[in-house]
Amino acid sequence: MPLHLRRPLLALLSALLILAAAVPALAAERSWVKVTYDPGAPQQLRDNVEASLDTVADLLTEYRIYLTRPITVIVSADHAGYVSILTSYGYTREKAEQTAKQSAGVSLGQRPVIILKGSDALRRDRQEVYRVLPHELFHQVQSQWGKLGTVNWMVEAAPELFRIKASEKAGFAPAGVYLAMETLKIRHAKAIPSAAELASKNYAVFSGLAGKGYPVYAMSTLMLSKLVEDAGFDKVVYFYQQLHHGADPDKAFLATFRVPMGWFAKDMDTYFASLRQ
């Protein structure tokens, strides 16, 4: 190539490389999720979110989970930004403030949107992002695959087990360590509800028990871990596949886990009682 043509071409290639290096790491190749950051969101927070999404992408591939609609993840810079974003999605100011005090992130039900609160904890501690974001992302799987009509404890246990899988895959700790932490919450609780109470299909019952300080998330997580300890998380995916294809939740539970819900609840009450002796 003539020298007078080679120099402009090299200059163009250099410019393209510089431009590519300057593009924010928003993982444009991810077709299943789009991330939007508040301008004030610190880089460390962004890096933690991106790392968590990479791990979730690996798990979605591993378990052959597909999403019918791409998810939008909105990351606020701080508490005030979180409240502002929530109100823009229909929350009243009062509800947005209450949600901001009680949560680090929310999945917006039937909308493919997750909103994260850009707290100092999420910025400083990558494990905290892994505690929040994979949980909310699996709520999106439930919404798109057929969460409605399932029992309360299953609604929260599947996202909790998924976030434990994500943390384990990221190398923070084995799943058994996280499950042991949930066990301690049950042992040290002043009182616990019955497993049958967690099996209500009215979510207000579950949130009401949580509001009273009962370790309902820990109980739910251990219940599901007992069901899948031999077959693994694939069983959870199979359960939601059945719901996605219109199966009755109770029949899908029996077909997947080979035990009637009532029997399983009684077994778990016995197990929880043994933990607390």
Side-chain angles (χ1 to χ4, degrees), residues 149-152 197-205 248-250 261:
T150 54
V151 291
N152 285 334
E197 290 179 85
L198 301 185
S200 167
K201 293 182 180 179
N202 179 1
Y203 194 76
V205 173
D248 175 80
D250 293 334
M261 178 72 73

Side-chain angles (χ1 to χ4, degrees), residues 5-73:
L5 294 178
R6 189 181 307 164
R7 286 176 177 168
L9 179 59
L10 289 174
L12 176 61
L13 289 174
S14 297
L16 289 174
L17 289 173
I18 293 172
L19 178 62
V23 173
L26 296 184
E29 71 277 5
R30 298 191 194 110
S31 61
W32 61 277
V33 65
K34 175 186 176 183
V35 190
T36 301
Y37 296 96
D38 261 1
Q43 188 60 48
Q44 188 175 2
L45 172 60
R46 299 177 186 225
D47 292 343
N48 291 345
V49 169
E50 294 299 325
S52 178
L53 288 173
D54 284 340
T55 303
V56 168
D58 290 341
L59 286 177
L60 294 179
T61 300
E62 179 181 343
Y63 293 114
R64 296 183 180 139
I65 298 173
Y66 64 90
L67 294 162
T68 57
R69 293 186 292 171
I71 300 168
T72 297
V73 177

Side-chain angles (χ1 to χ4, degrees), residues 145-239:
W145 280 29
K147 176 184 73 171
L148 299 179
T150 54
V151 291
N152 285 334
W153 69 264
M154 193 72 170
V155 170
E156 292 300 340
E160 280 293 278
L161 206 55
F162 187 75
R163 65 95 178 166
I164 288 173
K165 292 288 183 184
S167 296
E168 180 181 52
K169 193 172 188 66
F172 292 119
V177 172
Y178 293 105
L179 293 175
M181 293 168 65
E182 302 304 309
T183 300
L184 288 175
K185 294 175 185 177
I186 296 168
R187 282 179 171 159
H188 295 157
K190 292 182 179 180
I192 63 171
S194 69
E197 290 179 85
L198 301 185
S200 167
K201 293 182 180 179
N202 179 1
Y203 194 76
V205 173
F206 187 91
S207 58
L209 292 170
K212 293 178 181 178
Y214 293 125
V216 291
Y217 284 89
M219 293 175 68
S220 300
T221 304
L222 286 185
M223 287 170 73
L224 187 56
S225 72
K226 287 295 182 183
L227 281 176
V228 304
E229 60 185 356
D230 294 326
F233 197 76
D234 295 276
K235 279 285 188 179
V236 179
V237 177
Y238 178 59
F239 173 76

Side-chain angles (χ1 to χ4, degrees), residues 90-112:
Y91 280 59
T92 64
R93 184 76 186 186
E94 181 182 3
K95 183 179 179 182
E97 289 285 0
Q98 182 181 19
T99 301
K101 290 178 182 177
Q102 297 175 344
S103 73
V106 293
S107 175
L108 298 186
Q110 297 303 309
R111 304 180 73 166

